[in-house]
Amino acid sequence: MDTTALLVWVRERAGVAHSADARAAGFTDHCVRTAVQSGTLRRVRRCWLVSPDCDARRVAAAAVGGRVSCVTAASLWGLWTPSHEGIHVAVAPAASRFDAAGIRVHWSVGPVPVVRTSAQEPAINMLFHVARCLPRAEALAVWESALKRRLVDAAVLTRVRWRSARARELADVATVLADSGVESIFADLMRRVGVPLQQQVWIDGHPLDGLIGRHLALQLDGFAHHSSAKDRRRDLRADARLVLPGYTVLRFDYQQVLFDKHHVTEAVLTAIAQGLHR
């Protein structure tokens, strides 16, 4: 096999692979050396091969002998994630301790066994680390994003032996109803204060993020929302369409739901106290 075939093989594995797996796939040591010497591939930490276009986060994980995990892996899968810093990497519990700038290490073992040469973190293990790493509401939002994208199945999650009380709890409550992480966090906030919330309700042929009772409508704006005047006008039309037949509309944005939960809760409970949901 030539170096071009080896490059294609590595790219099929998200741009990073262990040299032992390359040998098992039929590539000779000579082929690997030639690919590295020619610049077709780069060798990282002696045994890891990365393609020139490999995501920098995966390269950083390989450089410490681990796999991208937690919110970093979730982001690479295209899931909703909260704002976060650093590259989250899962390593074997017996791996050597190290101090690498910008790396957040996860030493715990996920439910799915992973061989040391694997460069990919299983989705279930990613969720396991998310559950242990993030605040509950944000972790739930990532889990529900994974369900919504069909990366995992809810029935499977409830049967996994999680080794984590938080993960078991999330497996029991996660649903596919939320369309975004903000909606997941808001729904969890309402559950925790005892407010029944209907998610993804359609009224007069238009979607509504949430409905409390019969007339308290909730609209939730994501992190990138209102990027233009056109978006703002669309929201105003949607709110007016709800107000005219008698709905009360409460609209909250990403910053409020994630970082000003007291205000959000107080506004909803005050509206209920006034009977605006009836």
Side-chain angles (χ1 to χ4, degrees):
M1 297 186 184
D2 60 18
T3 57
T4 300
L6 176 58
L7 175 61
V8 171
W9 180 83
V10 172
R11 281 176 170 162
E12 289 173 347
R13 286 148 184 80
V16 56
H18 198 279
S19 56
D21 287 344
R23 286 194 296 272
F27 296 100
T28 64
D29 290 340
H30 173 73
C31 177
V32 171
R33 284 195 301 271
T34 301
V36 172
Q37 290 168 359
S38 67
T40 302
L41 293 174
R42 183 156 63 97
R43 194 188 297 274
V44 176
R45 196 181 169 89
R46 191 174 63 187
C47 295
W48 293 96
L49 304 171
V50 299
S51 63
D53 53 354
C54 182
D55 188 282
R57 291 165 289 185
R58 297 187 187 279
V59 177
V64 297
R67 302 171 301 281
V68 288
S69 188
C70 195
V71 286
T72 303
S75 178
L76 286 169
W77 261 309
L79 305 183
W80 182 93
T81 58
S83 299
H84 56 277
E85 297 180 353
I87 300 170
H88 291 241
V89 176
V91 299
S96 307
R97 265 33 183 185
F98 59 87
D99 183 16
I103 299 292
R104 183 162 182 175
V105 182
H106 293 265
W107 302 96
S108 51
V109 178
V112 179
V114 183
V115 298
R116 67 176 184 84
T117 60
S118 175
Q120 301 298 313
E121 182 79 326
I124 287 175
N125 286 3
M126 175 270 292
L127 295 178
F128 168 80
H129 291 298
V130 164
R132 292 168 56 90
C133 181
L134 298 185
R136 180 189 184 280
E138 294 179 15
L140 177 61
V142 177
W143 278 53
E144 293 194 334
S145 180
L147 288 171
K148 193 74 174 182
R149 294 289 297 271
R150 297 184 179 181
L151 182 64
V152 291
D153 182 83
V156 172
L157 295 184
T158 59
R159 295 174 62 85
V160 172
R161 296 185 176 182
W162 286 106
R163 308 173 187 166
S164 161
R166 170 66 63 76
R168 286 193 297 272
E169 179 188 357
L170 296 181
D172 288 337
V173 300
T175 74
V176 296
L177 295 176
D179 267 349
S180 70
V182 175
E183 292 179 32
S184 292
I185 293 171
F186 180 80
D188 185 63
L189 183 60
M190 292 299 98
R191 278 194 296 268
R192 293 172 75 83
V193 296
V195 174
L197 174 71
Q198 301 177 62
Q199 294 178 255
Q200 292 303 311
V201 179
W202 284 76
I203 296 176
D204 192 26
H206 298 279
L208 178 64
D209 294 331
L211 181 67
I212 296 173
R214 293 175 60 87
H215 288 282
L216 185 54
L218 286 306
Q219 297 283 42
L220 305 167
D221 300 335
F223 180 78
H225 212 67
H226 293 158
S227 56
S228 69
K230 180 180 178 182
D231 292 333
R232 178 60 178 162
R233 288 192 296 269
R234 180 197 61 212
D235 291 341
L236 291 172
R237 285 195 299 270
D239 291 350
R241 188 171 58 244
L242 290 164
V243 169
L244 292 176
Y247 290 91
T248 295
V249 180
L250 294 181
R251 182 179 290 275
F252 302 110
D253 67 9
Y254 176 95
Q255 291 292 326
Q256 290 173 301
V257 174
L258 267 72
F259 306 113
D260 197 3
K261 294 182 175 65
H262 175 74
H263 162 72
V264 172
T265 303
E266 185 177 39
V268 171
L269 294 179
T270 300
I272 293 173
Q274 296 176 38
L276 298 178
H277 62 306
R278 297 186 185 279

